[in-house]
């Protein structure tokens, strides 16, 4: 039986530090290292969304859900420069297994399908359809047609496409999905008992996702909210983390953590636990997943704790570094500490905060990447041009 380990984070919370730790066990197959995130179970339009639609059995929702799922897996299987390429990890069989999986669920399809959102994902010939519909409308508006019903109707241009339908019980869906995922995993690791996927599960509502596997353990990794706020505000600038306004950040932080539910298969730690209290935390992790710590036969090959320490105490270091905004930044720190007190890491138990000086700072990124602004983030023009080029190349490769 394959034993699954997975890390889960909230974006830039440092879950890769656990991946790095388990890469130092030869008996664990870490798929793609820290670079590959196997997230299509909980991705928008992924397996969980598919389950919700198919088990409801709505006559129209199922069509759109299946099409969106197919579009997602086909994109994941393509050469995507900004994301994972599943084809490289399943011996080129990812799509084959997925199509067989849909057949096993009892998905049916027909060619001349139509409803008002049937072509929502059909981008080809969109302009041609609009022109044709307008031309037809000019001709058809001269006529009125009636059936025996009281409502009148007019002829229209109908864009017939392939339409799908499926309904299935939750129990059957989960059993079919179990088989599908097991077949995929065997392509990756036919000989390993242990396998680790980064981000296989989300950090919330894990009980539903865990039901797709016979054995799975989830390690949720979070970060001190002060560091997350400042690191994103100053360096990363990730759009999925609101860091322009501390009040908005606090609401977002609380909301995204509100559905965490620990169990015998789900545990939460902080990034800082690994960095500052490693001996205790590594034992906790090994006991949780059920593996002997003595099997860590490649220490210090992937996990470098001294380097990881430079990823901490951003909130303290930057307040010291930037006198121009020191008063505002200190105010933000105080507000986060007040509103998110349950999530604050006690750095003072491990380091003398008063000993941190501007001279001792060691930032991973240059301060120039994102200049701090009290109202908004300034964008590095070189990074912007690079990002636009990647988008343009991706569209060319996809034929759009």
């Amino acid at each position: 039986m394959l034993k699954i380990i997975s890390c889960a984070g909230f974006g830039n919370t440092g879950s890769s530090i656990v991946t790095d730790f388990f890469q130092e066990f030869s008996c664990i197959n870490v798929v793609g290292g820290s670079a590959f995130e196997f997230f299509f179970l909980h991705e928008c339009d992924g397996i969980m969304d598919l389950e919700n639609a198919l088990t409801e059995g709505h006559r129209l929702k199922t069509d759109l859900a299946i099409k969106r799922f197919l579009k997602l897996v086909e994109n994941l299987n393509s050469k995507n420069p900004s994301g994972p390429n599943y084809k490289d990890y399943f011996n080129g069989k990812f799509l084959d297994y997925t199509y067989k999986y849909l057949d096993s669920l009892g998905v049916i399809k027909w060619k001349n399908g139509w409803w008002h959102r049937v072509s929502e994902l059909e981008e080809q010939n969109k302009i041609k359809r609009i022109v044709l519909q307008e031309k037809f409308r000019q001709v058809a508006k001269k006529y009125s047609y009636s059936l025996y019903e009281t409502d009148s109707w007019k002829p229209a241009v109908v864009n017939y496409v392939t339409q799908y339908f499926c309904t299935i019980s939750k129990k059957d869906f989960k059993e079919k999905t179990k088989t599908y995922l097991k077949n995929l995993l065997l392509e990756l690791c036919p000989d390993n008992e242990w396998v680790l996927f980064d981000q296989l599960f989300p950090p919330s509502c894990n009980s539903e996702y865990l039901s797709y596997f016979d054995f799975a353990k989830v390690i949720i990794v979070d970060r001190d909210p002060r560091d997350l706020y400042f690191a994103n505000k100053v360096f990363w600038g990730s759009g999925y983390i609101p860091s322009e306004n501390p009040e908005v950040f606090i609401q977002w932080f609380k909301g995204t953590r509100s559905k965490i539910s620990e169990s015998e298969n789900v545990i939460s730690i902080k990034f800082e636990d690994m960095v500052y209290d490693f001996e205790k935390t590594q034992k906790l992790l090994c006991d949780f997943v059920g593996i002997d710590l003595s099997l860590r036969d490649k220490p210090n090959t992937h996990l470098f704790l001294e380097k990881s320490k430079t990823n901490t105490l951003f909130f303290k270091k930057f307040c010291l570094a930037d006198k121009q905004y020191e008063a505002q930044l200190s105010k933000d720190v105080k507000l986060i500490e007040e509103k998110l007190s349950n999530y604050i890491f006690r750095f003072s138990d491990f380091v003398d905060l008063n000993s941190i000086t501007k001279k001792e700072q060691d930032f991973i990124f240059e301060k120039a990447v994102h200049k701090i602004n009290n109202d908004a983030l300034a964008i590095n023009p070189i990074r912007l041009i690079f990002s636009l080029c990647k988008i343009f190349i991706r569209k060319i490769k996809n034929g759009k």
Side-chain angles (χ1 to χ4, degrees):
M1 178 178 66
L2 283 173
K3 296 179 179 179
I4 311 297
I5 308 170
S6 182
C7 306
F10 299 90
N12 295 342
T13 54
S15 62
S16 61
I17 197 170
V18 173
T19 305
D20 292 339
F21 170 67
F22 282 116
Q23 283 191 94
E24 297 183 348
F25 291 73
S26 294
C27 59
I28 299 176
N29 181 1
V30 180
V31 181
S34 300
F36 183 77
E37 296 184 347
F38 190 86
F39 51 73
F40 89 119
L41 291 181
H42 56 96
E43 171 76 287
C44 291
D45 303 324
I47 284 183
M48 183 57 69
D49 285 352
L50 184 68
E51 177 183 344
N52 291 335
L54 269 55
T55 54
E56 180 185 351
H58 190 287
R59 63 188 180 87
L60 300 178
K61 286 182 184 178
T62 54
D63 175 59
L64 206 53
I66 293 167
K67 285 178 177 174
R68 286 177 170 173
F69 177 72
L70 282 169
K71 188 175 182 67
L72 170 66
V73 296
E74 286 166 2
N75 285 340
L76 291 174
N77 197 61
S78 65
K79 291 289 184 181
N80 184 351
S82 62
N85 178 17
Y86 283 39
K87 183 185 292 184
D88 291 344
Y89 292 96
F90 299 98
N91 297 323
K93 298 179 181 179
F94 176 64
L95 279 185
D96 290 340
Y97 278 122
T98 302
Y99 294 147
K100 290 176 182 177
Y101 166 58
L102 289 175
D103 287 340
S104 74
L105 294 176
V107 172
I108 60 172
K109 61 182 180 180
W110 59 100
K111 291 183 178 180
N112 295 324
W114 185 89
W115 60 289
H116 64 281
R117 294 178 65 182
V118 76
S119 57
E120 190 168 291
L121 302 180
E122 300 287 337
E123 297 180 1
Q124 296 180 347
N125 301 320
K126 193 172 183 179
I127 296 177
K128 181 179 178 181
R129 288 201 308 271
I130 293 173
V131 172
L132 184 58
Q133 286 171 348
E134 180 59 31
K135 184 176 181 180
F136 191 85
R137 192 177 294 113
Q138 294 297 323
V139 175
K141 69 180 181 179
K142 302 177 182 178
Y143 305 96
S144 180
Y145 302 83
S146 295
L147 293 175
Y148 289 108
E149 291 84 355
T150 56
D151 295 333
S152 61
W153 62 277
K154 293 182 179 180
V157 175
V158 176
N159 181 43
Y160 288 120
V161 297
T162 300
Q163 189 166 341
Y164 298 88
F165 176 77
C166 179
T167 183
I168 188 171
S169 69
K170 275 189 173 289
K171 180 181 178 182
D172 287 344
F173 184 93
K174 290 187 184 300
E175 287 302 317
K176 301 292 185 182
T177 303
K178 257 188 182 181
T179 301
Y180 164 57
L181 293 173
K182 183 178 180 181
N183 289 334
L184 280 177
L185 297 185
L186 287 174
E187 286 292 335
L188 286 169
C189 44
D191 301 321
N192 287 74
E193 178 185 11
W194 295 92
V195 60
L196 185 146
F197 292 95
D198 193 17
Q199 311 302 322
L200 178 62
F201 302 99
S204 57
C205 304
N206 270 304
S207 59
E208 287 294 314
Y209 295 96
L210 287 166
S211 64
Y212 296 143
F213 300 91
D214 292 320
F215 182 101
K217 298 286 185 176
V218 185
I219 303 162
I220 301 170
V221 182
D222 208 349
R223 187 190 291 266
D224 185 290
R226 297 167 296 182
D227 268 355
L228 184 61
Y229 175 76
F230 280 96
N232 195 63
K233 190 177 185 72
V234 178
F235 303 117
W236 301 324
S238 298
Y240 50 81
I241 301 175
S243 51
E244 296 174 8
N245 183 312
E247 291 280 7
V248 175
F249 171 80
I250 289 166
Q251 292 180 41
W252 170 84
F253 192 96
K254 281 184 177 179
T256 51
R257 277 71 174 170
S258 63
K259 300 295 183 181
I260 294 177
S261 179
E262 293 192 11
S263 66
E264 63 177 349
N265 295 315
V266 182
I267 193 173
S268 297
I269 66 167
K270 287 192 178 297
F271 173 79
E272 295 84 5
D273 290 327
M274 288 289 286
V275 174
Y276 291 99
D277 200 6
F278 178 68
E279 293 302 321
K280 178 180 176 181
T281 306
Q282 69 168 342
K283 184 178 185 308
L284 173 70
L285 294 180
C286 288
D287 289 345
F288 170 66
V289 301
I291 195 168
D292 198 304
L293 181 56
S294 64
L295 295 175
R296 184 182 173 224
D297 54 347
K298 299 184 296 181
N300 306 315
T301 57
H302 293 84
L303 184 65
F304 306 102
L305 295 177
E306 287 303 315
K307 185 177 179 180
S308 296
K309 281 184 181 179
T310 64
N311 267 330
T312 66
L313 292 166
F314 284 114
F315 70 95
K316 184 74 174 176
K317 295 172 182 176
F318 198 77
C319 284
L320 290 168
D322 204 314
K323 296 297 182 182
Q324 181 180 358
Y325 296 106
E326 183 178 8
Q328 179 61 51
L329 296 178
S330 297
K331 184 179 178 181
D332 291 351
V333 170
K334 186 176 180 181
L335 184 63
I336 292 171
E337 288 175 343
E338 177 186 340
K339 300 289 186 179
L340 298 174
S341 58
N342 292 337
Y343 301 95
I344 298 298
F345 182 76
R346 293 176 60 90
F347 286 103
S348 58
D349 290 347
F350 303 94
V351 62
D352 182 4
L353 297 178
N354 294 322
S355 68
I356 299 172
T357 65
K358 178 179 178 180
K359 190 178 289 187
E360 292 171 341
Q361 293 170 65
D362 185 14
F363 294 119
I364 284 183
F365 304 105
E366 292 295 330
K367 200 168 102 178
V369 173
H370 287 288
K371 292 291 186 182
I372 191 165
N373 185 295
N374 200 35
D375 298 317
L377 290 171
I379 299 174
N380 184 306
I382 296 175
R383 175 171 287 191
L384 176 61
I385 293 170
F386 181 70
S387 297
L388 290 174
C389 288
K390 285 204 302 183
I391 294 171
F392 181 71
I393 292 170
R394 180 180 175 185
K395 286 187 175 293
I396 291 176
K397 285 186 175 182
N398 291 336
K400 296 179 181 179

